[in-house]
mmCIF file with all atom_site columns, all heavy atoms in Angstrom:
data_model
loop_
_atom_site.group_PDB
_atom_site.id
_atom_site.type_symbol
_atom_site.label_atom_id
_atom_site.label_alt_id
_atom_site.label_comp_id
_atom_site.label_asym_id
_atom_site.label_entity_id
_atom_site.label_seq_id
_atom_site.pdbx_PDB_ins_code
_atom_site.Cartn_x
_atom_site.Cartn_y
_atom_site.Cartn_z
_atom_site.occupancy
_atom_site.B_iso_or_equiv
_atom_site.pdbx_formal_charge
_atom_site.auth_seq_id
_atom_site.auth_comp_id
_atom_site.auth_asym_id
_atom_site.auth_atom_id
_atom_site.pdbx_PDB_model_num
ATOM 1  N N   . ALA A 1 234 ? 4.892  7.825  -14.539 1.00 98.00 ? 234 ALA A N   1
ATOM 2  C CA  . ALA A 1 234 ? 3.779  8.751  -14.808 1.00 98.00 ? 234 ALA A CA  1
ATOM 3  C C   . ALA A 1 234 ? 3.901  10.027 -13.984 1.00 98.00 ? 234 ALA A C   1
ATOM 4  O O   . ALA A 1 234 ? 3.291  11.040 -14.306 1.00 98.00 ? 234 ALA A O   1
ATOM 5  C CB  . ALA A 1 234 ? 2.460  8.055  -14.488 1.00 98.00 ? 234 ALA A CB  1
ATOM 6  N N   . SER A 1 235 ? 4.693  9.968  -12.912 1.00 98.00 ? 235 SER A N   1
ATOM 7  C CA  . SER A 1 235 ? 4.711  11.075 -11.952 1.00 98.00 ? 235 SER A CA  1
ATOM 8  C C   . SER A 1 235 ? 5.798  12.097 -12.266 1.00 98.00 ? 235 SER A C   1
ATOM 9  O O   . SER A 1 235 ? 6.686  11.851 -13.080 1.00 98.00 ? 235 SER A O   1
ATOM 10 C CB  . SER A 1 235 ? 4.954  10.516 -10.546 1.00 98.00 ? 235 SER A CB  1
ATOM 11 O OG  . SER A 1 235 ? 6.343  10.228 -10.383 1.00 98.00 ? 235 SER A OG  1
ATOM 12 N N   . ASP A 1 236 ? 5.750  13.224 -11.546 1.00 98.00 ? 236 ASP A N   1
ATOM 13 C CA  . ASP A 1 236 ? 6.775  14.254 -11.733 1.00 98.00 ? 236 ASP A CA  1
ATOM 14 C C   . ASP A 1 236 ? 8.133  13.817 -11.184 1.00 98.00 ? 236 ASP A C   1
ATOM 15 O O   . ASP A 1 236 ? 9.139  14.469 -11.450 1.00 98.00 ? 236 ASP A O   1
ATOM 16 C CB  . ASP A 1 236 ? 6.332  15.561 -11.046 1.00 98.00 ? 236 ASP A CB  1
ATOM 17 C CG  . ASP A 1 236 ? 5.167  16.188 -11.802 1.00 98.00 ? 236 ASP A CG  1
ATOM 18 O OD1 . ASP A 1 236 ? 4.925  15.794 -12.963 1.00 98.00 ? 236 ASP A OD1 1
ATOM 19 O OD2 . ASP A 1 236 ? 4.485  17.058 -11.224 1.00 98.00 ? 236 ASP A OD2 1
ATOM 20 N N   . ASP A 1 237 ? 8.168  12.731 -10.422 1.00 98.00 ? 237 ASP A N   1
ATOM 21 C CA  . ASP A 1 237 ? 9.473  12.194 -10.003 1.00 98.00 ? 237 ASP A CA  1
ATOM 22 C C   . ASP A 1 237 ? 10.288 11.772 -11.220 1.00 98.00 ? 237 ASP A C   1
ATOM 23 O O   . ASP A 1 237 ? 11.509 11.665 -11.149 1.00 98.00 ? 237 ASP A O   1
ATOM 24 C CB  . ASP A 1 237 ? 9.302  10.981 -9.072  1.00 98.00 ? 237 ASP A CB  1
ATOM 25 C CG  . ASP A 1 237 ? 8.917  11.406 -7.661  1.00 98.00 ? 237 ASP A CG  1
ATOM 26 O OD1 . ASP A 1 237 ? 9.069  12.604 -7.344  1.00 98.00 ? 237 ASP A OD1 1
ATOM 27 O OD2 . ASP A 1 237 ? 8.456  10.548 -6.890  1.00 98.00 ? 237 ASP A OD2 1
ATOM 28 N N   . ALA A 1 238 ? 9.578  11.498 -12.325 1.00 98.00 ? 238 ALA A N   1
ATOM 29 C CA  . ALA A 1 238 ? 10.260 11.097 -13.562 1.00 98.00 ? 238 ALA A CA  1
ATOM 30 C C   . ALA A 1 238 ? 10.233 12.236 -14.583 1.00 98.00 ? 238 ALA A C   1
ATOM 31 O O   . ALA A 1 238 ? 10.278 12.003 -15.789 1.00 98.00 ? 238 ALA A O   1
ATOM 32 C CB  . ALA A 1 238 ? 9.609  9.851  -14.141 1.00 98.00 ? 238 ALA A CB  1
ATOM 33 N N   . ALA A 1 239 ? 10.154 13.482 -14.081 1.00 98.00 ? 239 ALA A N   1
ATOM 34 C CA  . ALA A 1 239 ? 10.002 14.633 -14.979 1.00 98.00 ? 239 ALA A CA  1
ATOM 35 C C   . ALA A 1 239 ? 11.141 14.756 -15.992 1.00 98.00 ? 239 ALA A C   1
ATOM 36 O O   . ALA A 1 239 ? 10.967 15.356 -17.048 1.00 98.00 ? 239 ALA A O   1
ATOM 37 C CB  . ALA A 1 239 ? 9.901  15.919 -14.150 1.00 98.00 ? 239 ALA A CB  1
ATOM 38 N N   . PHE A 1 240 ? 12.303 14.166 -15.675 1.00 98.00 ? 240 PHE A N   1
ATOM 39 C CA  . PHE A 1 240 ? 13.456 14.275 -16.587 1.00 98.00 ? 240 PHE A CA  1
ATOM 40 C C   . PHE A 1 240 ? 13.752 12.936 -17.264 1.00 98.00 ? 240 PHE A C   1
ATOM 41 O O   . PHE A 1 240 ? 14.855 12.691 -17.727 1.00 98.00 ? 240 PHE A O   1
ATOM 42 C CB  . PHE A 1 240 ? 14.677 14.769 -15.790 1.00 98.00 ? 240 PHE A CB  1
ATOM 43 C CG  . PHE A 1 240 ? 15.738 15.425 -16.633 1.00 98.00 ? 240 PHE A CG  1
ATOM 44 C CD1 . PHE A 1 240 ? 15.420 16.399 -17.567 1.00 98.00 ? 240 PHE A CD1 1
ATOM 45 C CD2 . PHE A 1 240 ? 17.075 15.071 -16.488 1.00 98.00 ? 240 PHE A CD2 1
ATOM 46 C CE1 . PHE A 1 240 ? 16.401 17.006 -18.346 1.00 98.00 ? 240 PHE A CE1 1
ATOM 47 C CE2 . PHE A 1 240 ? 18.068 15.673 -17.259 1.00 98.00 ? 240 PHE A CE2 1
ATOM 48 C CZ  . PHE A 1 240 ? 17.735 16.643 -18.200 1.00 98.00 ? 240 PHE A CZ  1
ATOM 49 N N   . VAL A 1 241 ? 12.721 12.076 -17.292 1.00 99.00 ? 241 VAL A N   1
ATOM 50 C CA  . VAL A 1 241 ? 12.917 10.728 -17.845 1.00 99.00 ? 241 VAL A CA  1
ATOM 51 C C   . VAL A 1 241 ? 12.039 10.566 -19.079 1.00 99.00 ? 241 VAL A C   1
ATOM 52 O O   . VAL A 1 241 ? 10.809 10.546 -18.989 1.00 99.00 ? 241 VAL A O   1
ATOM 53 C CB  . VAL A 1 241 ? 12.525 9.646  -16.805 1.00 99.00 ? 241 VAL A CB  1
ATOM 54 C CG1 . VAL A 1 241 ? 12.754 8.254  -17.374 1.00 99.00 ? 241 VAL A CG1 1
ATOM 55 C CG2 . VAL A 1 241 ? 13.326 9.827  -15.507 1.00 99.00 ? 241 VAL A CG2 1
ATOM 56 N N   . THR A 1 242 ? 12.674 10.478 -20.236 1.00 99.00 ? 242 THR A N   1
ATOM 57 C CA  . THR A 1 242 ? 11.906 10.194 -21.458 1.00 99.00 ? 242 THR A CA  1
ATOM 58 C C   . THR A 1 242 ? 12.773 9.442  -22.457 1.00 99.00 ? 242 THR A C   1
ATOM 59 O O   . THR A 1 242 ? 14.001 9.569  -22.445 1.00 99.00 ? 242 THR A O   1
ATOM 60 C CB  . THR A 1 242 ? 11.313 11.479 -22.075 1.00 99.00 ? 242 THR A CB  1
ATOM 61 O OG1 . THR A 1 242 ? 10.298 11.105 -23.024 1.00 99.00 ? 242 THR A OG1 1
ATOM 62 C CG2 . THR A 1 242 ? 12.358 12.339 -22.767 1.00 99.00 ? 242 THR A CG2 1
ATOM 63 N N   . GLY A 1 243 ? 12.127 8.629  -23.276 1.00 98.00 ? 243 GLY A N   1
ATOM 64 C CA  . GLY A 1 243 ? 12.846 7.881  -24.313 1.00 98.00 ? 243 GLY A CA  1
ATOM 65 C C   . GLY A 1 243 ? 13.665 6.730  -23.759 1.00 98.00 ? 243 GLY A C   1
ATOM 66 O O   . GLY A 1 243 ? 14.556 6.213  -24.412 1.00 98.00 ? 243 GLY A O   1
ATOM 67 N N   . THR A 1 244 ? 13.316 6.293  -22.550 1.00 98.00 ? 244 THR A N   1
ATOM 68 C CA  . THR A 1 244 ? 14.113 5.229  -21.942 1.00 98.00 ? 244 THR A CA  1
ATOM 69 C C   . THR A 1 244 ? 13.284 3.968  -21.753 1.00 98.00 ? 244 THR A C   1
ATOM 70 O O   . THR A 1 244 ? 12.068 3.985  -21.846 1.00 98.00 ? 244 THR A O   1
ATOM 71 C CB  . THR A 1 244 ? 14.714 5.702  -20.596 1.00 98.00 ? 244 THR A CB  1
ATOM 72 O OG1 . THR A 1 244 ? 15.800 4.827  -20.255 1.00 98.00 ? 244 THR A OG1 1
ATOM 73 C CG2 . THR A 1 244 ? 13.718 5.667  -19.464 1.00 98.00 ? 244 THR A CG2 1
ATOM 74 N N   . ASP A 1 245 ? 13.994 2.885  -21.477 1.00 98.00 ? 245 ASP A N   1
ATOM 75 C CA  . ASP A 1 245 ? 13.327 1.624  -21.149 1.00 98.00 ? 245 ASP A CA  1
ATOM 76 C C   . ASP A 1 245 ? 13.704 1.260  -19.728 1.00 98.00 ? 245 ASP A C   1
ATOM 77 O O   . ASP A 1 245 ? 14.882 1.168  -19.403 1.00 98.00 ? 245 ASP A O   1
ATOM 78 C CB  . ASP A 1 245 ? 13.780 0.514  -22.103 1.00 98.00 ? 245 ASP A CB  1
ATOM 79 C CG  . ASP A 1 245 ? 13.137 -0.822 -21.750 1.00 98.00 ? 245 ASP A CG  1
ATOM 80 O OD1 . ASP A 1 245 ? 11.891 -0.902 -21.779 1.00 98.00 ? 245 ASP A OD1 1
ATOM 81 O OD2 . ASP A 1 245 ? 13.867 -1.771 -21.426 1.00 98.00 ? 245 ASP A OD2 1
#
Side-chain angles (χ1 to χ4, degrees):
S235 79
D236 290 344
D237 283 345
F240 203 48
V241 181
T242 195
T244 198
D245 178 60

